[in-house]
């Protein structure tokens, strides 16, 4: 009687462990799919792939510009004024004078400005932040930046939205989840095989 209870408990534990492993594998597959349709296209689309050194030429804050969302059907809520910061640098790789943008997204949102703040109701904070960014550029005259080695884009960006390290880090967690799920499934199958072999003997 006790043996039957132990066997039943063992089977329940194996079933739960197997369901856990399959669930982990399924979750990792969903994470891979989500990363594949969101992060990977932005990474492959970016042409600013080569890092170099940029030397500051000038960082000026012009009069207020108006940012309008590029998405279709944008309403008045998507439009707000902010100071336009323009940063020009000397690209050491080619010696050209080019405009610097914060990220790839900055160029798409407003090609006239090097920095586009997020939507904020407090214009004073936005202005103070942009002035701080400009003073930091003037303080650090030389800094790393990214340019397009193919020459499609003549401008440069300060940082990539999804660098190679960030992409690897994004794939790290689903990989660990997938590996752990597969390991649990393999251990359950081994345990079942050993149990059947012991019963047969």
């Amino acid at each position: 009687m006790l043996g039957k209870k132990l066997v039943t408990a063992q089977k329940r534990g194996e079933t739960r462990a197997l369901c856990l492993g399959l669930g982990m594998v399924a979750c990792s597959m969903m994470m891979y799919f989500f990363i594949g349709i969101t992060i990977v296209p932005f990474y492959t689309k970016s042409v600013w792939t080569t890092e170099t050194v940029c030397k500051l030429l000038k960082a000026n804050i012009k009069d207020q510009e108006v940012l309008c969302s590029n998405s279709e059907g944008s309403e008045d809520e998507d439009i707000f004024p902010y100071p336009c910061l323009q940063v020009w640098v000397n690209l050491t790789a080619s010696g050209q004078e080019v405009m610097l943008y914060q990220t790839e997204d900055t160029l798409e949102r407003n090609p006239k400005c090097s920095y586009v703040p997020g939507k904020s109701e407090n214009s004073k904070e936005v202005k103070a932040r942009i002035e701080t960014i400009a003073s930091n550029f003037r303080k650090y005259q030389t800094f790393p930046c990214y340019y397009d080695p193919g020459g499609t884009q003549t401008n440069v960006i300060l940082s990539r939205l999804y660098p190679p390290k960030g992409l690897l880090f994004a794939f790290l967690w689903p990989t660990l989840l997938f590996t752990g799920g597969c390991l649990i499934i393999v251990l359950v199958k081994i345990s079942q095989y050993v149990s059947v072999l012991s019963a047969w003997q």
Side-chain angles (χ1 to χ4, degrees):
M1 190 68 178
L2 182 60
K4 290 183 178 180
K5 290 183 178 180
L6 290 175
V7 171
T8 303
Q10 183 181 4
K11 289 184 177 180
R12 288 179 181 176
E14 290 175 350
T15 302
R16 291 174 182 175
L18 190 61
C19 290
L20 176 62
L22 292 174
M24 291 173 65
V25 172
C27 288
S28 65
M29 291 294 103
M30 293 177 61
M31 292 175 68
Y32 278 128
F33 177 75
F34 179 77
I35 294 172
I37 64 175
T38 55
I39 298 179
V40 174
F42 284 103
Y43 175 79
T44 56
K45 182 181 176 183
S46 179
V47 295
W48 296 271
T49 56
T50 304
E51 184 176 356
T52 185
V53 177
C54 288
K55 185 177 181 181
L56 179 69
L57 295 176
K58 53 185 176 181
N60 301 326
I61 299 178
K62 293 192 172 183
D63 295 333
Q64 287 191 339
E65 296 284 342
V66 175
L67 170 67
C68 180
S69 175
N70 290 333
S71 59
E72 297 181 359
S74 60
E75 301 178 356
D76 294 339
E77 295 180 354
D78 297 323
I79 304 173
F80 64 97
Y82 61 94
C84 182
L85 172 64
Q86 290 186 344
V87 180
W88 291 87
V89 297
N90 185 0
L91 187 62
T92 56
S94 61
Q96 295 178 334
E97 180 179 340
V98 295
M99 189 169 178
L100 175 74
Y101 295 93
Q102 183 186 15
T103 61
E104 301 94 329
D105 184 59
T106 307
L107 178 61
E108 294 182 0
R109 295 177 65 185
N110 191 347
K112 296 181 179 179
C113 303
S114 297
Y115 173 77
V116 177
K119 184 179 177 182
S120 175
E121 297 179 357
N122 193 339
S123 59
K124 291 183 179 180
E125 291 182 359
V126 173
K127 185 178 180 180
R129 189 185 312 120
I130 292 177
E131 290 177 352
T132 302
I133 294 173
S135 63
N136 287 335
F137 275 116
R138 298 187 187 103
K139 181 179 179 181
Y140 303 100
Q141 296 285 321
T142 304
F143 45 86
C145 59
Y146 294 89
Y147 75 100
D148 176 18
T152 307
Q153 294 286 345
T154 56
N155 42 58
V156 295
I157 60 174
L158 182 63
S159 60
R160 300 181 64 182
L161 284 174
Y162 301 105
K165 291 182 179 180
L167 189 66
L168 291 175
F169 185 76
F171 278 106
L172 175 63
W173 297 111
T175 302
L176 292 176
L177 193 64
F178 178 79
T179 305
C182 290
L183 184 61
I184 291 175
I185 294 174
V186 170
L187 291 176
V188 170
K189 291 300 181 181
I190 292 175
S191 176
Q192 291 176 345
Y193 175 75
V194 172
S195 299
V196 172
L197 186 62
S198 298
W200 181 77
Q201 289 179 351

